[in-house]
Amino acid sequence: KLLQVHEALEELSASDPRKAEIVKLRFFVGLKHTEIASLLGVNEKTVRRDWELAKASLFQVMQDQSE
C-alpha cells in the first residue's frame, strides 16, 4: 500500500504540484488548512478545494493500480 501511495503522489506531483504539496503537508506533516494556506501563500478555500480534489485523484490512481 505504501508503494501505491508513493506512486500515486508522484503522478499527482507531475500533473499538479500544488495539490501534491498540500497532500504532503496535510498528511505527512500534519498541518492544518490555515497553516498550509499561509505557507503556500494561497487562500484557505483554495487549500480545502485542492485537498478534496487531490484525495479523489489519489484514490482513483490507487484504484487503477489495483486493477
Side-chain angles (χ1 to χ4, degrees):
K1 285 271 182 188
L2 187 57
L3 183 57
Q4 281 184 312
V5 171
H6 177 70
E7 289 173 359
L9 197 51
E10 282 199 354
E11 192 171 315
L12 181 61
S13 291
S15 65
D16 198 324
R18 186 176 70 201
K19 284 186 182 76
E21 188 65 20
I22 288 171
V23 169
K24 291 174 189 174
L25 292 171
R26 180 91 172 121
F27 190 73
F28 296 110
V29 181
L31 296 182
K32 297 177 183 169
H33 292 122
T34 53
E35 296 170 317
I36 296 169
S38 177
L39 187 64
L40 298 181
V42 298
N43 187 297
E44 184 182 348
K45 285 185 180 182
T46 300
V47 172
R48 289 182 183 277
R49 182 189 66 235
D50 283 357
W51 170 245
E52 292 302 320
L53 292 170
K55 285 192 303 184
S57 176
L58 290 173
F59 178 77
Q60 184 62 51
V61 168
M62 289 177 66
Q63 196 171 34
D64 291 346
Q65 290 173 349
S66 296
E67 294 176 354

